[in-house]
Amino acid sequence: MLEPVIEEKQLDAALFQFIFPFSLNKNCQDKLQAQLRADGYTRFSLKKTELETEYYGEPYRVSHLNMERYYLPFTNNMLFPHSEKQAGLHRFSKSMKLHCSFKSEYRNFDFIVQSTDVFLCPFDLGFITVRIEIPCSDITFTDALEFTKRFRVLQDMNSQDKAARWISEKKTFDDVEDFLFEVLVPGMIPYLNSDELEGTYFAKHPFFVDERMYVQGLFAFKNKSDMTKADLFRASQIDGVDKYDQPYISSSSMDYIDRYLDEHSYDRWAPNTFYITHETSFVCVTNEDENIRTQLANHMYGEYYYALLINLFHKIVLLKLSNQYSQVRLDKNQDKIEELIRSITTFSAKYYFNEVVSQSQGKEIFIQLRRHFGNIDLYADVKHTLADLYKYQENFTAKRSNYLLLILTVYTVVSGIYGMNQVIEDLKGDIDWGKLQGYSVFEHIAFVLTISGISIALWLGFTTIFQLFKEQLKKKH
């Protein structure tokens, strides 16, 4: 069996977007938007064409016109909402151009935080994106992979993570999450939903999957260097170095690597450019010249970035809905069942579309991302859950209505005929309560039935109005 051979290569460009999904406290988005503005963030809008070169560094540019044309109209409404009140993915961005340093046991080099995005999304979700460039004057492919592997880990997980240091303006951080929440998004922590922390022992902040960020990256090799299958596999798996500081690859079988790349790579522009999708990374590996490399980077910052975000959004919402279903007690949580049905229906109608992209190559990459995220199977499970909830609610409502109708029918007949005939005359005009002392046992029963019948009617009317009011409030939110 052939083993993969690792050949070290120099890079012309190393560009990354690290994405951290998080859960927000309920009804906090207005306050969080104000906080982001106070921290120097600007609401992103396609109308603001002056922002096309603001967040990406030289010489990169994202055409707002091309982005609008790239997606279908109903997708644009979700991705680029026209107003803050419109439902969708609201992006707030801040240009930083912050020069920082990465230091580990064997490495010490600079990187630039070009900008940071914060997305506020429906279903109380959000994303933080950190956009980073490594100046490639003397950076190897392994250096870039090792940096990526360490930076995506928010909380140290092993000795190599603990040896990494992140230096910004003469301040050193041991953990990436400290650097993230103290330097890049300092006002974010009070708005993070910490309910998930109740079942953890060591986490300081809530994570949806684990303590690592999703990676979108572009690796551009120098001088038309040949790209091997081992290079593509290492880029997708973010394989840096082992504990002996030697280039590392997380497979010893070329047969496995061949099968992996057959399934995960998009080779429309081979042999010079490959896109590889994985459940934790989406990378472009190329050896094209500077002009084409710049175009590829523009796509990764623009159209493909949003394709990735849509799929991440879909996956996390579907996971949240599945988790909510697992926590619902069908016999007691009728309000939660109705809320879950409403959430699934809203997601299906407004945010989950089979057709999203208008261009063929973009459609193929989008479908590949969706497939590797497992969104198709997750969506099928959620739709099955919706059918089960509707069936359960229909049976529960029918059973409850039958019981209520039976009780009310018996109650109406007994109290209407028996009660009205016994005590109705004493309840006319000014009531003489002293007559109650002379009632027989049956007249006392009739009186109680009459008064309780009136009380039940008032209670049913009040609860109906209250439920209607709650429904209106839920629709507004």
Side-chain angles (χ1 to χ4, degrees):
M1 181 181 295
L2 292 176
E3 294 185 2
V5 177
I6 300 175
E7 300 176 6
E8 194 59 278
K9 298 179 175 69
Q10 296 293 123
L11 293 181
D12 255 342
L15 310 172
F16 306 101
Q17 296 184 108
F18 296 89
I19 303 173
F20 167 51
F22 58 90
S23 184
L24 287 165
N25 294 322
K26 286 187 175 296
N27 303 321
C28 76
Q29 293 204 16
D30 290 341
K31 292 181 180 179
L32 181 51
Q33 288 185 19
Q35 178 66 52
L36 290 170
R37 288 191 173 91
D39 291 337
Y41 283 79
T42 301
R43 185 177 179 275
F44 182 85
S45 172
L46 290 183
K47 284 185 177 180
K48 300 177 181 178
T49 55
E50 67 273 13
L51 300 179
E52 290 184 342
T53 59
E54 181 70 13
Y55 304 118
Y56 316 105
E58 292 289 341
Y60 308 111
R61 180 190 190 97
V62 173
S63 169
H64 291 188
L65 176 62
N66 289 342
M67 273 214 290
E68 184 179 47
R69 290 176 175 173
Y70 187 83
Y71 291 101
L72 295 173
F74 45 79
T75 311
N76 281 326
N77 291 334
M78 177 183 73
L79 291 179
F80 314 110
H82 291 271
S83 70
E84 296 177 6
K85 300 300 181 183
Q86 183 179 343
L89 278 62
H90 294 272
R91 171 181 168 183
F92 292 80
S93 299
K94 181 180 180 180
S95 178
M96 294 185 169
K97 297 179 174 56
L98 184 64
H99 290 260
C100 307
S101 297
F102 163 63
K103 182 181 290 187
S104 65
E105 187 175 358
Y106 299 102
R107 283 167 180 75
N108 184 4
F109 56 82
D110 296 335
F111 64 95
I112 303 171
V113 178
Q114 294 288 1
S115 58
T116 303
D117 298 338
V118 177
F119 281 86
L120 306 181
C121 311
F123 301 95
D124 296 317
L125 293 179
F127 296 97
I128 298 171
T129 299
V130 184
R131 197 168 286 111
I132 287 178
E133 178 178 358
I134 301 178
C136 290
S137 57
D138 192 30
I139 294 296
T140 66
F141 183 41
T142 297
D143 289 336
L145 287 171
E146 180 66 9
F147 168 86
T148 308
K149 187 173 184 178
R150 301 304 156 209
F151 192 84
R152 70 185 294 250
V153 178
L154 287 165
Q155 291 183 359
D156 294 341
M157 302 175 67
N158 55 44
S159 59
Q160 290 172 296
D161 294 330
K162 292 177 181 178
R165 297 291 182 270
W166 314 94
I167 304 168
S168 171
E169 297 179 343
K170 299 182 179 180
K171 188 172 182 180
T172 301
F173 298 92
D174 295 334
D175 287 343
V176 173
E177 69 174 347
D178 293 335
F179 172 68
L180 180 69
F181 290 116
E182 290 184 33
V183 177
L184 305 182
V185 281
M188 181 65 65
I189 290 179
Y191 301 95
L192 298 181
N193 187 332
S194 58
D195 291 347
E196 291 88 350
L197 293 178
E198 295 177 0
T200 65
Y201 292 98
F202 305 107
K204 292 186 289 183
H205 301 297
F207 306 103
F208 277 110
V209 181
D210 59 17
E211 295 82 3
R212 291 177 291 187
M213 292 186 278
Y214 193 93
V215 179
Q216 183 187 21
L218 181 143
F219 300 93
F221 293 122
K222 276 187 176 180
N223 304 323
K224 290 286 184 179
S225 301
D226 291 335
M227 295 180 296
T228 66
K229 291 182 178 180
D231 294 331
L232 302 180
F233 183 81
R234 291 183 72 204
S236 177
Q237 295 291 310
I238 317 296
D239 289 335
V241 297
D242 59 21
K243 61 182 179 180
Y244 304 109
D245 195 43
Q246 296 301 309
Y248 173 71
I249 185 168
S250 55
S251 174
S252 60
S253 168
M254 278 304 304
D255 292 337
Y256 175 84
I257 291 174
D258 287 337
R259 292 194 302 271
Y260 177 88
L261 293 177
D262 286 342
E263 181 181 355
H264 292 264
S265 66
Y266 182 67
D267 56 2
R268 179 169 180 161
W269 295 281
N272 297 320
T273 300
F274 294 86
Y275 292 91
I276 307 104
T277 56
H278 186 54
E279 61 181 4
T280 59
S281 65
F282 171 44
V283 297
C284 174
V285 185
T286 185
N287 60 7
E288 292 283 8
D289 59 32
E290 184 177 356
N291 290 333
I292 297 179
R293 183 183 75 228
T294 300
Q295 295 177 28
L296 295 173
N298 293 343
H299 287 303
M300 292 295 279
Y301 282 143
E303 296 90 344
Y304 299 161
Y305 173 49
Y306 278 92
L308 173 60
L309 284 173
I310 294 172
N311 278 289
L312 274 175
F313 172 70
H314 286 169
K315 179 175 181 177
I316 293 171
V317 173
L318 291 168
L319 288 173
K320 283 192 72 172
L321 294 174
S322 298
N323 183 57
Q324 289 175 16
Y325 178 64
S326 69
Q327 295 178 351
V328 167
R329 294 186 61 182
L330 296 179
D331 57 337
K332 293 185 177 180
N333 301 134
Q334 287 304 307
D335 287 342
K336 289 185 177 180
I337 290 175
E338 292 178 2
E339 183 179 348
L340 183 55
I341 289 174
R342 187 181 296 103
S343 296
I344 295 174
T345 304
T346 300
F347 175 74
S348 299
K350 296 179 66 174
Y351 302 109
Y352 192 89
F353 308 110
N354 288 323
E355 295 293 333
V356 174
V357 181
S358 60
Q359 300 178 13
S360 60
Q361 71 270 23
K363 187 180 298 184
E364 290 167 356
I365 289 176
F366 183 88
I367 291 173
Q368 187 161 315
L369 284 166
R370 174 181 282 178
R371 179 162 55 88
H372 289 301
F373 281 154
N375 289 349
I376 296 173
D377 292 336
L378 284 172
Y379 183 68
D381 288 342
V382 168
K383 292 293 286 185
H384 182 71
T385 296
L386 180 63
D388 289 344
L389 287 174
Y390 269 128
K391 185 175 180 180
Y392 171 81
Q393 191 181 49
E394 183 180 353
N395 292 337
F396 179 85
T397 303
K399 186 182 296 185
R400 185 174 60 179
S401 298
N402 289 337
Y403 287 147
L404 183 61
L405 182 62
L406 177 62
I407 293 170
L408 289 177
T409 300
V410 173
Y411 204 99
T412 302
V413 171
V414 174
S415 64
I417 297 175
Y418 181 62
M420 289 299 183
N421 288 335
Q422 290 288 329
V423 299
I424 188 61
E425 294 298 326
D426 294 336
L427 297 178
K428 291 181 179 180
D430 296 331
I431 301 175
D432 184 2
W433 297 105
K435 291 184 178 180
L436 292 176
Q437 299 177 358
Y439 277 6
S440 66
V441 173
F442 290 106
E443 286 176 322
H444 275 293
I445 294 173
F447 178 78
V448 171
L449 286 172
T450 302
I451 298 301
S452 61
I454 295 172
S455 301
I456 290 173
L458 292 173
W459 178 77
L460 288 174
F462 173 77
T463 54
T464 302
I465 294 172
F466 180 71
Q467 288 295 329
L468 290 173
F469 180 71
K470 283 179 61 177
E471 290 294 326
Q472 292 298 320
L473 285 179
K474 289 178 181 178
K475 288 179 181 179
K476 289 181 180 179
H477 293 294

